Amino acid sequence: MAHHDDTTAVHGGRPEAHPDGPVNPPISLSSTLHAGGPYGYGREYNDTLAALEKLLGDLEGGEATVFASGMAAANAVFDMFSPGDVVVASRYSYGGVIARLTELDARGAIKLRTVDVTEPDEIAATALGASWVWVESPTNPMLEVCDLRAAAQVAHAHGARLVVDNTFMTPLRQKPLSHGADFVVHSVTKALAGHSDLLMGAVITADHHMKEAILGRRLLLGAVPSAFDAYLAIRGMRTLHVRLDRAEHNAMIIAERLAAHPAVSAVHYPGLPGHKNAGVHKDQALGPGTVLAFEVAAGAAAAQRVTESVRLMTFATSLGGVETLIERRRRWAGENPLVPEALIRLSLGIENVEDLWADLQQALST
Ligand SMILES: *Cc1c(COP(=O)(O)O)cnc(C)c1O
């Protein structure tokens, strides 16, 4: 019987019950497997990885393959590109993803076209002749929303495959495969694992042949996560629903208060009624998520000072952990120049929201 997602988060991927058997999957430290099975070696199969893959696959509605990082997962999909493939990607995508696609384009391996994913017509026009469409929704770090059903429709109309990086939402908030996506990519590093203590990625697909192809990428490219990290990721995912509820509650309150703050010129968060595609987001996702971005009216230097003046929040990159993280994205030389200089990305943790607001208020007043 299929359960609700929060129940699956708690019970998915557990070993079969037998008297005195463990309730948790073991940390299986073996590169070598007894002969005679379908796999045969630790790059293809590991008990702990399999438990995590079962849990993740059940939540996303497909079959999961885990990788040593989110970038390794993305590169496993890139490795399925054929020479000369046209790849359409959102103009705001995770920095490493855009950097890698740009690199592949520069060496002539693919042709990259970037698009504004908030405009289905623009995706449709750009997808002509494309083999792959790669989107995030909401995008990093602008929190733009892509209509995933529309994107799947135009991609498939052109014979292209749709890949959705679902890191910001997690399967508890959005299920891209159910909206027509062919692949879901995750940085498990973020909210799924949730404790800022490991790097991991995943690719999930509902097509068994594609799952085998992705597993083949792990076998040959070799970016296998450790069993210990897989154990930690499972442990983190047991509380995913509880962490998301609290962090999203915090994000909504902080977004509303920032929107009314005189030092803030813009807030980007799909939970706010003024957001460009708030309606689309509500249609395809169960909540606005735990990450928001805002712009400091006084400019880049002032924004940088805000991130360096927090006392409770952590000035650091990354997102999805139990602790609130804050950073000005353009402090990175490699950040997309389209991102405003004074934009701060905030990843809400599960602290008390009044403590977070007090901290942000004092930082904004400096
Ligand atoms: C962090 C991140 C990645 C890359 O994942 P790593 O685990 O850091 O390699 C990809 N996409 C998004 C949206 C991310 O936030």
Side-chain angles (χ1 to χ4, degrees), residues 211-223:
K211 142 81 188 178
E212 291 295 312
I214 290 290
L215 180 60
R217 297 309 83 208
R218 189 175 80 195
L219 178 68
L220 296 184
L221 300 175

Side-chain angles (χ1 to χ4, degrees), residues 85-158:
D85 271 1
V86 171
V87 179
V88 173
S90 48
R91 59 181 175 162
Y92 298 109
S93 289
Y94 178 72
V97 163
I98 276 292
R100 180 79 179 124
L101 291 175
T102 303
E103 207 175 81
L104 290 172
D105 175 89
R107 69 167 71 145
I110 62 162
K111 291 187 193 70
L112 174 63
R113 297 176 185 160
T114 57
V115 280
D116 175 354
V117 295
T118 67
E119 299 292 344
D121 292 347
E122 194 179 322
I123 303 180
T126 317
L128 192 68
S131 300
W132 298 86
V133 177
W134 186 289
V135 302
E136 297 173 16
S137 187
T139 59
N140 180 17
M142 297 301 291
L143 283 302
E144 294 175 331
V145 167
C146 173
D147 184 329
L148 295 178
R149 289 185 195 96
Q153 221 159 41
V154 295
H156 295 156
H158 291 91

Side-chain angles (χ1 to χ4, degrees), residues 8-347:
T8 302
V10 174
H11 291 285
R14 291 194 186 271
E16 229 175 89
H18 59 86
D20 284 339
V23 298
N24 293 314
I27 301 174
S28 181
L29 298 177
S30 198
S31 56
T32 304
L33 310 173
H34 285 289
Y39 300 116
Y41 189 54
R43 271 206 310 276
E44 274 200 276
Y45 182 84
N46 169 285
D47 279 338
T48 319
L49 269 53
L52 173 58
E53 286 167 343
K54 176 84 171 69
L55 174 58
L56 252 176
D58 284 353
L59 288 173
E60 281 287 6
E63 291 182 84
T65 308
V66 291
F67 290 86
S69 68
M71 279 308 297
N75 274 292
V77 178
F78 300 163
D79 201 54
M80 309 225 297
F81 294 170
S82 296
D85 271 1
V86 171
V87 179
V88 173
S90 48
R91 59 181 175 162
Y92 298 109
S93 289
Y94 178 72
V97 163
I98 276 292
R100 180 79 179 124
L101 291 175
T102 303
E103 207 175 81
L104 290 172
D105 175 89
R107 69 167 71 145
I110 62 162
K111 291 187 193 70
L112 174 63
R113 297 176 185 160
T114 57
V115 280
D116 175 354
V117 295
T118 67
E119 299 292 344
D121 292 347
E122 194 179 322
I123 303 180
T126 317
L128 192 68
S131 300
W132 298 86
V133 177
W134 186 289
V135 302
E136 297 173 16
S137 187
T139 59
N140 180 17
M142 297 301 291
L143 283 302
E144 294 175 331
V145 167
C146 173
D147 184 329
L148 295 178
R149 289 185 195 96
Q153 221 159 41
V154 295
H156 295 156
H158 291 91
R161 293 200 160 107
L162 177 68
V163 187
V164 178
D165 182 333
N166 202 30
T167 301
F168 270 39
M169 285 283 100
T170 85
L172 264 57
R173 288 294 180 270
Q174 180 169 276
K175 294 189 197 294
L177 297 178
S178 77
H179 298 320
D182 300 283
F183 296 93
V184 166
V185 169
H186 275 290
S187 172
V188 177
T189 310
K190 312 294 170 51
L192 288 171
H195 294 74
S196 310
D197 53 4
L198 62 92
L199 287 157
M200 197 175 299
V203 179
I204 301 114
T205 172
D207 178 330
H208 183 67
H209 289 292
M210 285 297 126
K211 142 81 188 178
E212 291 295 312
I214 290 290
L215 180 60
R217 297 309 83 208
R218 189 175 80 195
L219 178 68
L220 296 184
L221 300 175
V224 190
S226 81
F228 183 70
D229 285 349
Y231 174 83
L232 284 179
I234 293 167
R235 188 181 165 109
M237 283 178 66
R238 296 296 183 215
T239 56
L240 177 62
H241 49 302
V242 182
R243 289 184 286 107
L244 281 182
D245 285 352
R246 169 59 86 89
E248 194 170 58
H249 168 83
N250 288 353
M252 194 65 216
I253 291 172
I254 298 289
E256 282 170 346
R257 291 183 188 178
L258 282 172
H261 196 287
V264 172
S265 56
V267 181
H268 306 269
Y269 187 58
L272 292 178
H275 187 275
K276 179 177 177 182
N277 277 340
V280 173
H281 187 77
K282 230 183 172 136
D283 238 37
Q284 66 190 13
L286 292 172
T290 62
V291 180
L292 63 88
F294 64 100
E295 294 173 49
V296 175
Q304 186 65 30
R305 270 199 307 281
V306 169
T307 63
E308 288 168 8
S309 306
V310 291
R311 293 173 194 151
L312 170 65
M313 296 179 179
T314 305
F315 172 30
T317 198
S318 197
L319 53 100
V322 289
E323 70 290 341
T324 296
L325 301 184
I326 187 168
E327 73 165 332
R328 187 177 70 89
R329 284 301 306 172
R330 290 291 299 277
R331 76 189 172 93
W332 297 96
E335 179 56 289
N336 186 339
L338 294 172
V339 173
E341 281 277 7
L343 182 117
I344 291 175
R345 189 181 69 190
L346 198 58
S347 166

